[in-house]
Amino acid sequence: MKLENALESYYYNTGKVSEAVRSLALAGIGIIWVFRVPESKGFEVVGDLYLPAALFAISLALDLLHYVAGTVIWGTYHRYKETRSNVDKETEFLAPLWLNWPTNVLFWAKTIVIVPGFYVLIKFLIAGWRQ
């Protein structure tokens, strides 16, 4: 296996995880919407579902920040390399490892935050099913 194949696999899998997290967060919000308080004037959910609703919203916000941070970091780095160093389009160089840290932290944060949201939501659904 070549190193570039490992990186391609990493990019493919992180992209799929991001898609899944986004879809799951939206699905979780949809499920919570089904269990909203019927006679309320606006969006009022059953008390047990505030936490998962907040976690799904946080996960979506982290998803957006993940891509915004990547855009800003890599756009800025590209501009820096283009204007302030002797690098042309064909020159190969290594980027500093720390450039990926913010996006890696946001990637894992959005992925981890959704887990307790679904734990509470599934626990709520099982409790209702048993009644």
Side-chain angles (χ1 to χ4, degrees), residues 53-74:
L55 292 172
F56 298 147
I58 290 167
S59 181
L60 289 170
L62 290 169
D63 185 49
L64 176 63
L65 285 173
H66 172 221
Y67 289 104
V68 169
T71 301
V72 170
I73 290 166
W74 287 105

Side-chain angles (χ1 to χ4, degrees), residues 14-122:
T14 56
K16 289 296 183 182
V17 168
S18 289
E19 290 173 19
V21 165
R22 193 175 313 115
S23 295
L24 286 169
L26 292 171
I29 290 170
I31 293 168
I32 290 169
W33 179 259
V34 170
F35 291 100
R36 70 187 183 283
V37 178
E39 286 84 32
S40 68
K41 298 178 182 177
F43 185 71
E44 187 177 340
V45 299
V46 177
D48 292 345
L49 297 180
Y50 278 109
L51 177 61
L55 292 172
F56 298 147
I58 290 167
S59 181
L60 289 170
L62 290 169
D63 185 49
L64 176 63
L65 285 173
H66 172 221
Y67 289 104
V68 169
T71 301
V72 170
I73 290 166
W74 287 105
T76 303
Y77 186 67
H78 172 267
R79 190 70 172 156
Y80 167 78
K81 285 301 221 181
E82 183 179 58
T83 60
R84 298 217 172 137
S85 63
N86 295 329
V87 175
D88 62 19
K89 290 183 180 182
E90 301 301 318
T91 304
E92 290 201 24
F93 60 90
L94 293 175
L97 291 176
W98 59 264
L99 279 179
N100 277 327
W101 292 350
T103 54
N104 286 341
V105 167
L106 290 166
F107 171 80
W108 285 108
K110 74 181 178 186
T111 304
I112 291 168
V113 162
I114 204 167
V115 173
F118 267 99
Y119 173 77
V120 174
L121 179 58
I122 291 169

